[in-house]
Amino acid sequence: NATPVTSPNSNLVQIPVAAANPSLSVAKSVLTPVTTNLGADNGIVDAGDRIVYQYIISNNGNVTISAVTPVDAGPRFGTAQVLGTGSMSAFTLTAGTTTLLPGQSATFTATYTLSQLDAYRAAGVTVPANAVNNSATANGTPATGTLPVIPPGTATTTLPAGPKLCI
């Protein structure tokens, strides 16, 4: 058995430790507005045209968060704000890392490819609330603590109107 060693001159030092506070935020933007030269009709919005989104995810907490990634179901279209029927690409990390220290950010992009129904629902709509709205949140795994619900970042864009047929 070892005998504890004590010193008559020891001083007690208390070091305050902040509670774990994991926190992420998402800033979302339209990096490239709709491209109209990828679908069947060059110059008008139709199936196959694309919208490129950018996501900046920031660690606003006081713990490291790993496996950080955006969460995005895709844009909503038109006055009814119906979920699009096109397809969202996988996320591409364009700056930073997926493990964020406190104060660090990572930038991702993803491309949404329009369906013809998406184009019909929103082409020519100029009221932002009725145009193309897309919200995203983020996921990650904090080193300690539990990640709270992350408020969404939202980006809005409009689709140019196509030609009209008048009889």
Side-chain angles (χ1 to χ4, degrees):
N1 271 345
T3 305
V5 177
T6 59
S7 169
N9 295 327
S10 43
N11 293 321
L12 181 61
V13 176
Q14 293 185 343
I15 300 172
V17 177
N21 182 25
S23 175
L24 291 174
S25 65
V26 178
K28 183 171 184 178
S29 61
V30 175
L31 190 61
T32 305
V34 68
T35 54
T36 58
N37 61 344
L38 299 171
D41 287 327
N42 194 6
I44 67 165
V45 176
D46 63 349
D49 291 338
R50 297 179 185 150
I51 303 170
V52 179
Y53 292 101
Q54 180 179 59
Y55 313 77
I56 300 174
I57 301 175
S58 300
N59 182 347
N60 302 317
N62 63 0
V63 297
T64 299
I65 302 176
S66 61
V68 171
T69 186
V71 176
D72 187 346
R76 294 185 172 274
F77 292 84
T79 4
Q81 288 297 283
V82 177
L83 188 61
T85 58
S87 61
M88 182 70 83
S89 72
F91 299 103
T92 301
L93 179 67
T94 58
T97 176
T98 59
T99 298
L100 299 178
L101 301 174
Q104 288 185 327
S105 295
T107 303
F108 298 83
T109 59
T111 301
Y112 182 81
T113 302
L114 298 168
S115 69
Q116 193 61 51
L117 186 56
D118 295 336
Y120 288 144
R121 286 182 174 146
V125 176
T126 57
V127 178
N130 299 335
V132 181
N133 293 290
N134 191 348
S135 296
T137 62
N139 264 338
T141 305
T144 56
T146 302
L147 194 61
V149 173
I150 299 161
T154 301
T156 299
T157 191
T158 56
L159 302 181
K164 293 182 180 181
L165 176 63
C166 297
I167 299 178

